[in-house]
Amino acid sequence: MPTLINEPNLRVCLRRIPKGIPVPEDLEIVEAPVPEPGANEILARTIYLAVDPYIRSRLSGRHFDGQPQPGDLMLGRTVSEVIESNVAGIKPGDIVNIESGMQKYAAVDDSDILKVDPRVAPLSTALGILGMPGLTSWAGLCVLDPIKPGETILVTAASGAVGSMVGQIAHNRSEARRGGTACGSAGS
């Protein structure tokens, strides 16, 4: 059944590989048809888009995922509303956290769909403290290398999405354990 959305899908694509700091001319907004979801896919409309710092390292070719090429859709994790669904347990109107890229509408498969409960916290937190930055911060400080009593934690890049959360968690956990210290640095 064709998707009944009467507007184009706006997509942010890479026009050229940036030389140094990206400028608006490195990207382009492309109009495309709204995709139709296939088997085990959903069609979702973006509500919030995370523009995370790792995108800069991807653009420069310094990320393990490789460098995007001109014409590629820019990556971005989103909080989106499901418009159509061919996935068991996901229905139109559900809110999801997905890797859909920088576009208004996306058809994505069921391999990376996380349902978001809008009653738990504001939707945008699914891309921050309740999303990848929060999980990365918590796992690093509380699971992989737990803070020890009396320890000093130095957070470099403390102004970034993950670093700012690491600083808050380290500060709170250090105070609770009496005698610990958390400090951070930012800038280049």
Side-chain angles (χ1 to χ4, degrees):
M1 178 171 89
T3 300
L4 300 174
I5 296 175
N6 193 20
E7 65 178 336
N9 185 24
L10 299 178
R11 300 165 46 96
V12 178
C13 295
L14 185 63
R15 178 181 288 154
R16 64 182 184 208
I17 303 293
K19 294 180 181 5
I21 295 174
V23 295
E25 294 77 25
D26 295 330
L27 305 171
E28 62 184 332
I29 297 176
V30 176
E31 288 189 6
V34 174
E36 292 186 31
N40 300 312
E41 289 186 335
I42 62 169
L43 173 65
R45 180 185 56 82
T46 298
I47 299 170
Y48 291 106
L49 165 69
V51 182
D52 290 317
Y54 83 92
I55 293 171
R56 176 85 188 272
S57 62
R58 290 237 23 228
L59 288 173
S60 66
R62 297 186 323 252
H63 195 271
F64 67 89
D65 275 344
Q67 187 175 37
Q69 295 304 305
D72 287 352
L73 176 69
M74 292 294 295
L75 290 179
R77 194 146 190 99
T78 67
V79 170
S80 297
E81 178 184 7
V82 176
I83 304 300
E84 296 178 30
S85 177
N86 296 321
V87 175
I90 306 287
K91 63 185 183 319
D94 283 349
I95 305 298
V96 293
N97 181 328
I98 54 177
E99 177 63 56
S100 61
M102 295 184 185
Q103 59 184 334
K104 188 167 185 177
Y105 295 97
V108 297
D109 68 33
D110 61 356
S111 65
D112 188 30
I113 299 172
L114 303 169
K115 283 180 85 170
V116 175
D117 186 342
R119 299 168 301 174
V120 172
L123 295 178
S124 61
T125 62
L127 297 173
I129 192 67
L130 298 178
M132 179 278 297
L135 177 61
T136 302
S137 305
W138 174 81
L141 278 177
C142 302
V143 177
L144 299 175
D145 190 14
I147 301 170
K148 292 151 193 77
E151 198 168 46
T152 297
I153 303 295
L154 171 63
V155 182
T156 58
S159 63
V162 173
S164 64
M165 290 179 209
V166 167
Q168 293 173 62
I169 293 169
H171 174 76
N172 289 329
R173 292 185 67 91
S174 295
E175 277 188 4
R177 293 202 159 106
R178 307 263 190 262
T181 304
C183 54
S185 66
S188 51

